[in-house]
């Protein structure tokens, strides 16, 4: 696949279709891959990589890149195409200036899950028929492939590219996913249990803003949390309230816009399951206002900028669930 | 708010009222001398759709024990559609607060028309009682703001 | 050297914690390690290092500085400083131990930061030598020997025993407080284990990373390098690297209106943030490139320039594993070096 | 530094009896920024206002807080006072310590405490108030009247008279509306056509009036003074400019079996038709549902006989776009459908008719040339029963909850006319109440009873049964005699309730005006602004606002015209300054705000920005038209970056209030 | 006027008699009108006045066929038939005391008595 992608990129660079390529660049180790812009065939040959660790959603870079001179080629996994559609819909990217090559999706691997097994000194990770062979400074280790799959891939919602100019490989379909299971599990807890769960999770937050800055829906010119004029800006969670505040408001701002790409949880250095907040909104929207998948198209009205005269009342929150 | 051993807990309730219906409804309950507790403090907004979730969280941060939003009845919005947006926004926000384990009875949306002075007073009485039962807001408070 | 058999280490921690609070690195549910207050039953982690560095103990993420109260038209100012209690951080890795030396150079020089000093004076740092370095480790680059840790008291673990050596009075006091549990022994076994570690050190992927091309005199060489654009291109501008870094020491001061007064507090800042050092006229570093450059220039050039060649990095490797897009100081060093 | 004045009103004892106003004034006087805090007996009185004005001047105040009654009462009073003293009127805040404090609380201690908190919130807000200046927007000096009935015609004539251009859009081929179908008018019994048709002609001849018949409004954009309206001119397959209205085509048209809507379907017309002799414009229209040429392509008779070549089978609907400064809605009414009232046998017997059908049956231009004959067998009816309140005054599930207002009078008129013309006919009127408030109305009704011996029976018809002999059995109660009656009638006339025209609701949506649950347009104020809608620049004329008889309709039509003229006279209008505005530096251009704006006040522009790093960047940013924005604030919450804010109710102002209250 | 009786009739009928606008359509539509001493509209009005006992004594309560024409046609949804039925029920209840005792019923049975009559007898006359 990597070969095919490099060839495609080289071809499109050569024939002048595009002037830059957004992809992933090899790092120091087996897994530390950095999204990067490539401009020449040599750079591609040298550093372009596509493997089990190229999980980063690069669509957000298009906000910046699509406004530069010349067309940009971007390789998007199915989940990433939803993000691009949403950005297109919100006029945050110039779609005409983007050449999308759809590539197959995951499942991608989570190095943190490997390290959490106590495996250290990792020098290489190989997938041998769904068993990971991990070379380390202290000898070889193995673990089942699926135990190291990223959470976002484990609950994949779609293998379908919703926007592309060209595909490498076959397009897939949307999937029946179990992505709301955990949300439901929490909903079935008592209020106190939920409170305890979220307190223990959110208290880990160090406000590094990685979740926000990686989020393709968070592309504000100036985030309210960075803007002293907003009245709610803060830099560090000085109190448990501020941990709540940041995550509630952020989830609310992306409600109806979040494509559930899962990047927020992937990048959280503290492993807070932030995607659950977004999924809660998605689940509520689906059940209260009809199925809605942000980014599935570029024209539909988002649930929060829409209404019907017979929407349910807010008291529905009081009427359902356990106490 | 303060809890004294010999004094009943007095919750602080912030009520956002739209200018055209609910604020007028609140005025009407005054004109008709319909009592509701002093715990309720009203903030006038042009339309319920002006109420940003930030305001609600801010109220809880600064010590409110309950927040209630009042607007025109759906279909009667002075601005045609404002309260429909409010309804969706608040449904989702309240659901999220519930998801985070914040007590459901601390937040509420009620549609009160300019003619419903009695409903306004009854709603405020009822809501204050409900919040009183919950006791002080602890799950969504900012400890720095707690009154000594 | 004094030692205690590995199975008795919790006895020792228990004894120490009777006198003062002891923090140890222990694992939490998600497999990451963090420093926690020792209570009986707790286990030391097997992870090499904690997710967050140990700098929190002396330089916490947020800290109240002063309070104002407004009464009518009068303002009343109150000092909120409290004398810290004595505490022990057990199991600090050599890299983190060195980070304190770096922070000291910032906060203990005139004007001394009394908040920092207060904590520093009351904390005893008990370091733990490394035996299983990770691929992300490059402390050697900055002259740190992970088998010979600094700190008030150094500890080695060869698998069967923990060996103790005090480096300061505070360290000696710690050893004295648990001396009844320790036994005198030779270090033959330990030396063997150290040798083994040193062998691994040589094989580390970053073992050859060198600082020879960096230092206080390299300002002109690197400041205008065209590499910065490429390196910073994918930077998200989040503060992960800064907040897990043991040596990042920047903070911002903010006021918070509590409704019954104003709390002035400081909190960590990150040079990666768009509002870093924002002043009335605006932000001196307008683009992510400049902010990105700031972080690495600070560690590799500005800091050594002001501190007799000492670098502002200890090679702990946290930013290598935590950066969401895997951009880090190693990649920067390697990219800049290429002539 | 702010210099804020606080003024606490006693409102006699209204406030002072439960709120310790002295303490309130004293406590608030200690708030930061407050330089003067006073209390006074009646702050809204002239001397009270003078107190405020003097304080503004003396202390050079930058903002004032009035602790008094509801801002809905006196906000404007104090804004004007502030303006008179040289302070921007939007630097005034009101703390409502009467309706929302003194009147609802009993304990002085707690009420005073609350008053102080409300005062503090107002002070916190006024600290952040910015002086606002109302913007101006130009007025297009042309009005649109939607509906060409008597209401629309009168409104148009009055506006034209005042010297402004006015367009009438009428969905039917002719103007005239319901009044054109009516035979005589009460209480004077003059002929409707005699008084209406001259007005129709006047309208068609007035050079300031353009009649757009057979047209419908399809889209309305814009705002007061500046509406852009799309009008669909439906294809009538006849060139209006050529047609002379000679009527030859209508005579020659072979398709003659088309129910004649002008005569309520009681007779037929041809496929090409002119609704009635005095139609304006007097132009033929081809009904595409019946025209053989249009349906099958075979015929073409009308085209052949037309000497001026006005027939054009290829005509298409046409969309016209026009700009107007004011819009007057005059969409009128219709009788309700009687399908669900089985008991009255409407639909079972042709001799059970509605009142409007009776009008046509009695009209000289009607199906029987003015002789009242039973529709079934064209015989002269000897017993006629009138039933009042059919579908009016009902429970919501059974019909219309309101009184249709005109039925009592037109029934008296019908009864009287029949008795006058056919003295051998017995006329019974079943009524629940006879409602005749109006000049000479009750006299008129009494005349029907006393002079014409119409049998008025208090009671209701319970069941109407057509019999095999062609008669109709009417079973009813006579409440005063306490007996049940059976009347062997020849005809039954039902006073059907009236309802707004079906086109009104979609129109209301286009105009963003409000309607009540019965689809009548809601006036801006039921007493004080009865001819204006709540949406600026939209006025209401005639029965679209509620049931009305002709004199009332004409009165309201002229009133609506006067209001519209008042608007058109202005060169520009002052806008509400409490509108949204977008901070372009923070705006993402994501379009969220635009989607929630009910007025279409937000547009996007690509704007060049000089970045702090001296580069130029073109960004899509939102721009609010302050003349269109009504200040609801929906956009401010839809905006994730907080770029959108609302003057007078900004994020920081509301949060300052929250903070002050939660202190 | 017996307030309790009025309450009882209002409660058991579920009718709001104040909705009546006195149009008389119920009586105009009633097929039993001529049989009745008090007519449907009078039932509504008299219940409103509280004059229930007069109605209870009147044979009119047994003349109503419960055809529900009045309910169907009442423009205000007053449902006069339900009022009549409620008054009838009030009368039946007052027969307390002189009702049949269940053990009297078997004696009265004969083969021609419909089953339903027995059920009715028990329902109406047992305590």
């Amino acid at each position: 696949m990597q070969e095919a992608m490099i060839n495609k990129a080289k071809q499109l660079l050569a024939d002048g279709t595009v002037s830059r390529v957004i992809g992933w660049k090899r790092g120091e180790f087996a897994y530390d891959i950095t999204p990067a812009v490539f401009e020449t065939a040599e750079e591609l040959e040298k550093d372009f990589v596509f493997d089990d660790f190229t999980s980063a959603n690069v669509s957000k870079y298009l906000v910046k890149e699509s406004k530069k001179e010349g067309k940009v080629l971007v390789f998007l996994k199915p989940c990433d195409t939803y993000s691009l559609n949403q950005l297109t819909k919100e006029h945050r990217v110039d779609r005409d200036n983007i050449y999308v090559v759809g590539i197959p999706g995951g499942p991608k691997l989570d190095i943190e899950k490997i390290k959490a097994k106590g495996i250290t000194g990792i020098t290489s990770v190989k997938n041998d028929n769904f068993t990971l062979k991990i070379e380390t400074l202290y000898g070889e280790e193995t673990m089942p492939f699926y135990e190291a799959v990223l959470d976002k891939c484990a609950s994949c919602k779609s293998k379908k590219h919703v926007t592309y100019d060209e595909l490498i490989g076959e397009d897939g379909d949307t999937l029946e996913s179990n992505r709301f299971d955990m949300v439901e599990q929490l909903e079935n807890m008592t209020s106190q249990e939920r409170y305890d769960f979220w307190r223990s999770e959110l208290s880990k937050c160090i406000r590094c803003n990685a979740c926000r800055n990686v989020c393709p829906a968070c592309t504000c010119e100036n985030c309210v949390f960075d803007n002293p004029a907003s009245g709610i800006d803060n830099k560090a969670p000085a109190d448990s309230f501020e941990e709540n505040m940041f995550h509630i408001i952020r989830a609310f701002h992306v409600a109806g816009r979040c494509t559930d790409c899962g990047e927020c949880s992937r990048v959280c250095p503290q492993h807070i399951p932030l995607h659950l907040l977004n999924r809660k909104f998605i689940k509520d929207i689906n059940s209260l206002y009809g199925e809605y998948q942000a980014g599935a198209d570029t024209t539909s009205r988002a649930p929060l900028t829409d209404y019907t005269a017979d929407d349910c009342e807010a008291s529905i929150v009081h009427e359902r669930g356990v106490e | 708010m303060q809890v004294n051993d010999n004094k009943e807990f007095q919750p602080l309730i912030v009520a956002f009222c739209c200018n055209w219906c609910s604020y007028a409804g609140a005025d009407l309950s005054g004109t008709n001398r319909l009592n509701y507790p002093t715990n309720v403090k009203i903030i006038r907004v042009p339309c319920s759709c002006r109420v940003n979730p930030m305001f609600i969280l801010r109220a809880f941060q600064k010590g409110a024990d309950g927040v209630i939003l009042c607007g025109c009845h759906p279909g009667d919005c002075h601005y045609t559609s404002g309260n429909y947006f409010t309804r969706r926004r608040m449904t989702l926000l309240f659901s999220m607060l519930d998801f985070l384990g914040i007590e459901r009875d601390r937040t509420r949306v009620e549609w009160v028309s300019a003619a419903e002075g009695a409903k306004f007073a009854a709603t405020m009485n009822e809501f204050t009682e409900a919040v009183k039962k919950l006791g002080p807001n602890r799950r969504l408070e900012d400890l720095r703001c707690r009154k000594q | 050297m004094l030692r205690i058999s590995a199975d008795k280490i919790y006895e020792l921690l228990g004894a120490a914690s009777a006198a003062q609070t002891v923090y140890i690195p222990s694992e939490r549910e998600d497999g990451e390690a963090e420093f926690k207050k020792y209570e009986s039953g707790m286990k030391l982690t097997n992870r090499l290092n904690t997710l967050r560095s140990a700098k929190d103990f002396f330089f916490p993420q947020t800290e109240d500085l002063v309070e104002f109260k407004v009464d009518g038209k009068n303002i009343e100012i109150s000092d909120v400083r409290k004398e810290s209690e004595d505490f022990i951080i057990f199991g600090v890795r050599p890299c983190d131990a060195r980070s304190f030396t770096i922070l000291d150079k910032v906060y203990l020089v005139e004007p001394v930061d009394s908040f920092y000093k207060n904590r520093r004076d009351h904390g005893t740092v008990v370091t733990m030598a490394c035996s299983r370095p990770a691929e992300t480790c490059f402390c050697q680059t900055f002259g740190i020997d992970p088998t010979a840790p600094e700190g008030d008291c150094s500890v080695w673990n060869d698998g069967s025993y923990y060996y103790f050596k005090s480096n300061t009075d505070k360290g000696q006091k710690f050893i004295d407080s648990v001396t009844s549990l320790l036994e005198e022994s030779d270090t033959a076994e330990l030396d063997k284990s150290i040798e083994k570690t040193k062998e691994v050190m040589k094989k580390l992927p970053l073992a050859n990373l060198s600082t020879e091309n960096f230092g206080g005199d390299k300002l002109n060489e690197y400041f205008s390098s065209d590499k910065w654009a490429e390196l910073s291109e994918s930077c998200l501008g989040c503060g992960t690297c800064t907040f897990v870094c043991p040596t990042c020491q920047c903070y911002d001061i903010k006021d918070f209106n509590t409704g019954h007064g104003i709390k002035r507090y400081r909190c960590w800042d990150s040079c990666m943030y768009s509002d870093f050092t924002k002043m009335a006229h605006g932000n001196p570093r307008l683009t992510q490139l400049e902010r990105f450059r700031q972080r690495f220039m600070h560690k590799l050039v500005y800091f050594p320039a002001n501190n007799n060649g000492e670098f502002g990095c200890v090679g702990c490797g946290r930013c290598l594993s935590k950066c969401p897009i895997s951009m880090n100081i190693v990649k920067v060093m390697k990219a800049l070096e290429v002539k | 530094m702010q210099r804020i004045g606080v003024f606490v009103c006693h409102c006699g004892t209204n406030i002072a009896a439960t709120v310790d106003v002295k303490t309130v004034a004293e406590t608030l006087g200690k708030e930061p920024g407050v330089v003067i805090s006073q209390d006074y007996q009646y702050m809204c009185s002239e001397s009270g206002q003078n107190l405020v004005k003097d304080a503004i001047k003396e202390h050079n105040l930058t903002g004032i807080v009035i602790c008094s009654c509801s801002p809905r009462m006196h906000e404007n009073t104090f804004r004007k006072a502030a303006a008179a003293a040289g302070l921007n009127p939007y630097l005034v805040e009101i703390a409502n310590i009467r309706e929302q404090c003194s009147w609802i609380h009993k304990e002085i201690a707690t009420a005073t405490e609350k008053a102080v908190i409300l005062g503090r919130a107002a002070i916190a807000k006024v600290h952040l108030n910015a002086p606002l200046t109302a913007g101006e927007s130009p007025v297009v000096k042309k009005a649109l009247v939607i509906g060409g009935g008597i209401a629309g015609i009168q409104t148009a004539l009055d506006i034209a008279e005042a010297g402004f251009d006015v367009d009438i859009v009428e969905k039917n081929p002719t103007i005239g509306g319901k009044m054109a179908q009516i035979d005589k008018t009460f209480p004077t019994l003059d002929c409707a056509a005699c008084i209406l048709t001259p007005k129709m002609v006047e309208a068609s001849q007035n050079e300031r009036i353009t009649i757009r018949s057979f047209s419908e409004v399809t889209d309305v954009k814009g705002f007061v003074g500046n509406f852009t309206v799309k009008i669909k001119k439906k294809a009538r397959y006849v060139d209006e400019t050529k047609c002379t209205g000679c009527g030859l085509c209508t005579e020659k048209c072979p398709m003659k079996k088309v129910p004649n809507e002008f005569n309520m379907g009681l007779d037929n017309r041809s496929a090409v038709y002119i609704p009635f002799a005095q139609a304006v414009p007097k132009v033929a229209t081809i009904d595409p549902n019946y025209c053989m040429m249009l349906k099958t392509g075979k015929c073409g008779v009308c085209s052949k006989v037309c000497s001026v070549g006005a027939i054009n089978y290829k005509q298409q609907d046409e969309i016209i776009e026009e700009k107007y400064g004011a819009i007057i809605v005059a969409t009128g009414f219709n009788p309700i459908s009687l399908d669900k009232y089985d008991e009255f046998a409407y639909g079972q017997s042709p001799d059970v008719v509605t009142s409007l059908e009776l009008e046509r049956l009695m009209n000289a231009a009607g199906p029987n040339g003015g002789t009242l004959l039973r529709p079934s067998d064209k015989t002269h009816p000897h017993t006629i029963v009138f039933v009042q309140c059919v579908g009016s005054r009902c429970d919501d599930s059974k019909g219309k909850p309101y009184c249709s207002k005109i039925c009592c009078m037109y029934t008296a008129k019908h009864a009287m006319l029949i008795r006058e013309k056919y003295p051998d006919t017995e006329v019974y009127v079943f009524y629940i109440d006879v409602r005749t408030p109006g000049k000479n109305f009750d006299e008129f009704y009494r005349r029907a009873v006393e002079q014409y011996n119409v049998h008025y029976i208090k009671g209701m018809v319970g069941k109407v049964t057509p019999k095999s002999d062609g008669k109709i059995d009417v079973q009813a109660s006579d409440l005063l005699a306490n007996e049940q009656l059976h009347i062997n009638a020849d005809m039954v006339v039902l006073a059907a309730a009236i309802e707004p025209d079906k086109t009104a609701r979609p129109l209301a949506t286009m105009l963003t005006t409000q309607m009540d649950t019965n689809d009548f347009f809601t006036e801006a104020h039921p007493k004080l602004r009865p001819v204006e809608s709540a949406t600026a620049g939209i006025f209401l004329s005639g029965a679209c606002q509620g049931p009305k008889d002709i004199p009332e309709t004409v009165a309201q039509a002229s009133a609506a015209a006067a209001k519209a003229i008042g608007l058109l006279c202005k060169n520009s209008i002052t806008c509400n300054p409490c509108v949204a505005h977008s901070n372009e530096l923070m705006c993402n251009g994501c379009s969220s705000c635009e989607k929630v704006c009910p007025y279409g006040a937000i547009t996007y522009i690509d704007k060049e920005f000089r970045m702090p790093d001296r580069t130029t960047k073109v960004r899509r940013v939102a721009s609010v038209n302050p003349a269109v924005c009504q200040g609801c604030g929906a956009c401010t919450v839809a905006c994730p970056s907080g770029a959108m804010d609302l003057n007078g109710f900004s994020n920081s102002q509301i949060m300052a209030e929250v903070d002050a209250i939660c202190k | 006027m017996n307030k309790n009786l009025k309450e009882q009739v209002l409660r058991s009928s579920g009718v709001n008699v104040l909705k009546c606008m006195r149009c008389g359509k119920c009586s105009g539509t009633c097929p039993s009108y001529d049989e009745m001493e008090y007519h449907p509209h009078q039932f509504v009005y008299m219940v409103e006045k509280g004059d229930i006992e007069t109605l209870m004594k009147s044979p009119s309560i047994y003349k109503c066929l419960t055809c529900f024409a009045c309910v169907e046609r009442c423009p205000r949804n007053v449902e006069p038939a339900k009022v009549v039925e409620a008054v009838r029920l009030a009368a039946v209840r007052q027969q307390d005391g002189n009702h049949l005792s269940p053990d009297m019923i078997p004696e009265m049975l004969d083969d021609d008595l419909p089953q339903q009559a027995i059920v009715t007898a028990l329902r109406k006359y047992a305590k």
Side-chain angles (χ1 to χ4, degrees), chain C residues 56-108:
Chain C
D56 298 48
F57 289 107
F58 304 124
F59 176 44
Q61 186 161 14
T62 62
E63 181 171 30
D64 288 342
L65 302 178
V66 67
E67 272 181 41
F68 316 94
K69 264 196 170 52
V70 184
D71 176 29
K73 286 167 188 175
N74 301 317
I75 299 177
E76 184 192 316
I77 302 171
S78 51
D79 190 344
V80 295
R81 269 175 295 194
K82 269 185 239 133
E83 192 70 8
S84 168
E85 282 176 12
D86 286 343
F87 62 94
I88 294 167
I89 330 168
F90 181 90
V92 176
R93 289 296 177 188
C95 46
D96 282 6
R98 170 68 67 82
S99 78
F100 300 143
T101 323
I102 291 173
L103 292 177
D104 288 349
K105 288 186 195 296
V106 178
Y107 289 124
L108 294 185

Side-chain angles (χ1 to χ4, degrees), chain A residues 67 89-92 219-224 227 229-232 252-253 257 299-302 304-306, chain D residues 585-596 611 617-620 637-642 651-652 655:
Chain A
K67 284 168 194 151
K89 184 179 185 172
E90 294 176 4
H91 309 273
R92 300 297 289 150
T219 64
C220 282
E221 298 289 325
N222 190 350
C223 176
V224 287
N227 176 8
S230 76
I232 58 162
F252 188 82
H253 278 178
R257 305 167 53 233
T299 49
S300 64
R301 233 177 145 91
L304 275 174
T305 57
D306 201 3
Chain D
L585 288 174
M586 292 201 290
C587 175
N588 305 326
C590 72
S591 286
S592 296
C593 52
E594 176 205 27
K595 298 218 170 70
V596 300
M611 303 308 286
K617 198 170 161 190
V618 176
R619 282 199 2 246
R620 177 188 147 92
V637 183
C639 178
S641 71
N651 286 330
S652 55
M655 280 201 266

Side-chain angles (χ1 to χ4, degrees), chain A residues 25 28 31-32 34-35 61 64 112 120-122 137-138 206-209 213 233 235 269-271, chain C residues 28 32 51 61 132-133 135 204 230 233-234 236-237 239 243 252 254 269 273 322 325-326 331 334:
Chain A
K25 189 174 174 176
E28 293 295 318
Y31 53 81
D32 61 334
T34 306
Y61 292 108
K64 199 167 59 181
E112 298 279 339
T120 186
I122 299 164
L137 298 169
Y138 309 101
I206 54 171
R207 273 305 297 283
C208 64
N209 292 322
N213 290 18
D233 68 309
K235 224 164 209 173
Q270 291 281 28
H271 311 299
Chain C
R28 55 185 206 203
E32 294 281 6
L51 190 156
Q61 186 161 14
R132 276 168 69 89
E135 74 276 14
L204 286 178
E230 191 190 321
E233 197 155 45
S234 47
L236 298 172
F243 289 176
D252 193 5
K254 290 186 157 285
D269 203 346
Y273 286 171
K322 286 302 173 188
I325 52 120
S326 300
K331 287 183 179 175
K334 289 192 171 180

Side-chain angles (χ1 to χ4, degrees), chain D residues 178-179 181-192 355-356 358-360 362 386 388 406-421 427 429 441 444-445 447-449 452 454 456 550:
Chain D
K178 292 286 170 302
M179 189 172 169
Q181 290 176 277
I182 294 172
D183 186 32
K184 299 269 179 353
T185 59
F186 60 77
T188 48
L189 292 182
D190 37 8
C191 140
S355 302
L356 195 54
L358 183 71
E359 292 280 356
R360 295 316 301 157
M362 289 167 66
F386 284 86
Q388 298 283 69
I406 55 177
C407 325
C408 286
M409 286 303 289
Y410 70 59
T411 300
K413 173 189 79 179
H414 291 153
M416 205 185 283
L417 287 172
I418 291 169
R419 287 286 296 160
E420 160 106 8
K421 220 167 164 186
V427 175
V429 177
F441 281 15
F444 183 79
Y445 151 60
R447 229 162 76 212
V449 177
Y452 289 94
V454 176
Y456 268 80
I550 295 169

Side-chain angles (χ1 to χ4, degrees), chain C residues 198-217:
Chain C
K198 287 199 163 159
E199 281 308 307
V200 178
M201 299 289 300
K202 285 182 200 150
K203 290 194 286 179
L204 286 178
L206 303 178
N208 297 323
L209 187 70
S210 150
T211 56
E212 66 179 317
N213 290 317
F214 297 94
D217 54 345

Side-chain angles (χ1 to χ4, degrees), chain A residues 155 177-187 260 275-276 278-284 286 291-293:
Chain A
S155 57
S177 92
N178 55 353
R179 60 189 178 130
F180 297 120
D181 288 2
M182 186 60 192
V183 175
E184 212 161 290
Q185 211 174 311
L186 279 162
E187 284 171 344
D260 199 8
H275 64 282
L276 292 178
N278 300 325
R279 279 194 189 155
K280 168 66 178 164
F281 274 142
I282 295 171
K283 185 169 178 281
D284 278 348
N286 283 348
E291 292 280 325
Y292 181 83
Q293 172 60 54

